[in-house]
Amino acid sequence: MENKPERLLSLDFFRGLTVAAMILVNNPGSWGNIYAPLAHAEWNGCTPTDLVFPFFLFIVGVSIAYAMGSKKLDQKSHNKTILKALKRAFILFGLGFILAIFPRNFATYDFVETIKTVRIPGVLQRIGIVFFISAVIFLKSSEKTIFRTIIVILIVYWILMMFVPVPGVGYANLEKETNLGAWLDRTILTEAHLWKSAKTWDPEGILSTLPAIATTLFGILVGVYLKRKDIDVAKKIAWVFSIGTLATLAGLIWDLHFPINKSLWTSSYVLYTGGLATIILALSYWVIDVNKYQGFTKPFVIYGVNAITVFFVSGLMPRLVNMIKLETAEGKEIGALTWVYQTCFVPYFSPINASLAYAIAFILFFFVILWFMYKKNIIIKV
């Protein structure tokens, strides 16, 4: 019989915390009223919101190390494992594509026109691509090779972005519309298939997926080290915490030349966010798995075991519910969720607190559903 992969409660906790944060920042009551930490940095820099996506990819890496560790030793199972990883990647990409093409209003929906202008990159699409490539690298490479791969990716990406002249511009730069990544996205995907808020560049573009792979490989190496049985637990935690601290400092130093930037997923951003994720996981591992302080983890574990499901549904549900139109006191038709926000939150809070209260209510709403699923042992695996 196949052994079940070893699990870390601290990893489930960290995953659930990250997904809950994703839902919080993606579902404010009003995008015009957001506290600064809950918004992305305008360009360079890093807010707490900018930590969410790299943390999730880091967690994907740690999970690969735990879920595929035994399979790595069995060379005969590699092809089967790679095919399963490819299937999962296609499902993740497909779910992201569904979110991209799903109509906000069926009455005016034109499938042909939507396909002509649908955004191809996206969060779930990037997760799928990065997961598959990282899984193959993990299965086929030693830890030393994975470490060297990370270094090569970070240096090559730095050279490409900082020194390669951009066609049509004539010089290398890191500006939104004229950097090499933006040019590549427009050339291959065309402006019609990029992020609609920008149209000329995409935060999940083709070239920036390369360093995103490095983020996941970073998580793999941390996961491999945490799994080791030949190292004293105290020493293991000390080393992981130290590595996280050094990576964070390295990212801050590199930021002086190659700015920390989430949309470009710069090499400094990989080190900075990977280092912080490593520190958080080390502390969580020490508190939850070693010292067994686990009472506070349940709500986040409930979110973590159905992470992709809740992320997908939380993106789909508002569109469905807002197709139901309700009439305001002024006689204006608005979507049902918008009506809930304006009726139940706006009159009782300041604008910015109403927006935050709505986002928290959104998290609690999904927690009730996920709690029921958890109790019934319903886990939807993607």
Side-chain angles (χ1 to χ4, degrees), residues 81-99 120 122-133 135-136 308 312 381-382:
T81 304
I82 289 171
L83 284 174
K84 287 177 70 174
L86 182 61
K87 178 183 175 182
R88 188 182 188 195
F90 270 113
I91 292 172
L92 287 166
F93 195 98
L95 290 174
F97 197 71
I98 289 171
L99 287 179
I120 295 175
V123 171
L124 288 174
Q125 293 93 315
R126 172 165 284 183
I127 292 172
I129 294 168
V130 167
F131 162 74
F132 174 70
I133 294 173
V136 173
I308 294 295
F312 175 75
K381 294 184 178 181
V382 176

Side-chain angles (χ1 to χ4, degrees), residues 127-146:
I127 292 172
I129 294 168
V130 167
F131 162 74
F132 174 70
I133 294 173
S134 300
V136 173
I137 292 173
F138 171 70
L139 288 172
K140 297 297 184 180
S141 307
S142 67
E143 284 76 46
K144 285 185 179 179
T145 301
I146 294 173

Side-chain angles (χ1 to χ4, degrees), residues 102-154:
F102 195 84
R104 298 181 183 275
N105 188 339
F106 276 114
T108 59
Y109 185 63
D110 186 327
F111 180 76
V112 175
E113 285 301 315
T114 299
I115 291 298
K116 288 180 181 178
T117 60
V118 66
R119 181 191 178 200
I120 295 175
V123 171
L124 288 174
Q125 293 93 315
R126 172 165 284 183
I127 292 172
I129 294 168
V130 167
F131 162 74
F132 174 70
I133 294 173
S134 300
V136 173
I137 292 173
F138 171 70
L139 288 172
K140 297 297 184 180
S141 307
S142 67
E143 284 76 46
K144 285 185 179 179
T145 301
I146 294 173
F147 177 74
R148 289 169 184 157
T149 302
I150 294 172
I151 300 302
V152 169
I153 288 174
L154 297 185

Side-chain angles (χ1 to χ4, degrees), residues 352-366:
I352 198 167
N353 286 329
S355 183
L356 176 60
Y358 174 86
I360 293 172
F362 208 82
I363 291 174
L364 295 175
F365 170 80
F366 277 105

Side-chain angles (χ1 to χ4, degrees), residues 298-299 301-303 305-306 366-380:
K298 183 59 71 66
V301 171
I302 288 172
Y303 253 95
V305 295
N306 277 299
F366 277 105
F367 174 77
V368 172
I369 297 173
L370 292 170
W371 177 81
F372 174 80
M373 293 173 66
Y374 185 82
K375 286 292 185 181
K376 298 294 182 180
N377 198 31
I378 301 172
I379 300 175
I380 301 175

Side-chain angles (χ1 to χ4, degrees), residues 174-367:
L174 301 178
E175 299 304 315
K176 291 182 180 180
E177 298 184 356
T178 56
N179 69 78
L180 186 64
W183 171 82
L184 189 66
D185 290 338
R186 290 195 300 272
T187 302
I188 296 177
L189 301 176
T190 75
E191 291 185 8
H193 298 290
L194 301 181
W195 187 40
K196 302 309 176 191
S197 297
K199 297 183 180 179
T200 55
W201 58 277
D202 199 292
E204 277 79 51
I206 296 170
L207 191 57
S208 62
T209 300
L210 184 64
I213 294 169
T215 296
T216 307
L217 295 178
F218 195 146
I220 285 176
L221 288 183
V222 172
V224 168
Y225 188 75
L226 284 176
K227 279 191 68 180
R228 290 182 60 172
K229 305 294 185 183
D230 59 331
I231 302 175
D232 176 72
V233 171
K235 182 179 179 182
K236 187 187 296 185
I237 294 170
W239 268 108
V240 173
F241 188 87
S242 299
I243 290 166
T245 302
L246 289 173
T248 303
L249 291 174
L252 289 171
I253 293 170
W254 208 347
D255 170 61
L256 299 174
H257 175 70
F258 193 22
I260 291 171
N261 185 302
K262 186 261 180 190
S263 294
L264 296 177
W265 214 281
T266 53
S267 302
S268 57
Y269 178 72
V270 172
L271 291 175
Y272 178 68
T273 57
L276 290 178
T278 302
I279 291 170
I280 292 173
L281 182 59
L283 290 174
S284 300
Y285 177 70
W286 177 66
V287 171
I288 297 168
D289 290 299
V290 177
N291 288 295
K292 305 299 181 183
Y293 294 110
Q294 300 176 350
F296 68 95
T297 63
K298 183 59 71 66
F300 301 103
V301 171
I302 288 172
Y303 253 95
V305 295
N306 277 299
I308 294 295
T309 300
V310 69
F311 178 78
F312 175 75
V313 175
S314 69
L316 193 64
M317 190 204 76
R319 305 181 193 189
L320 285 169
V321 176
N322 269 330
M323 288 182 187
I324 303 169
K325 301 300 180 182
L326 299 176
E327 194 171 290
T328 64
E330 295 79 21
K332 181 181 177 183
E333 270 198 350
I334 57 175
L337 270 185
T338 306
W339 181 89
V340 168
Y341 171 62
Q342 293 184 0
T343 304
C344 302
F345 294 92
V346 172
Y348 306 105
F349 300 93
S350 65
I352 198 167
N353 286 329
S355 183
L356 176 60
Y358 174 86
I360 293 172
F362 208 82
I363 291 174
L364 295 175
F365 170 80
F366 277 105
F367 174 77

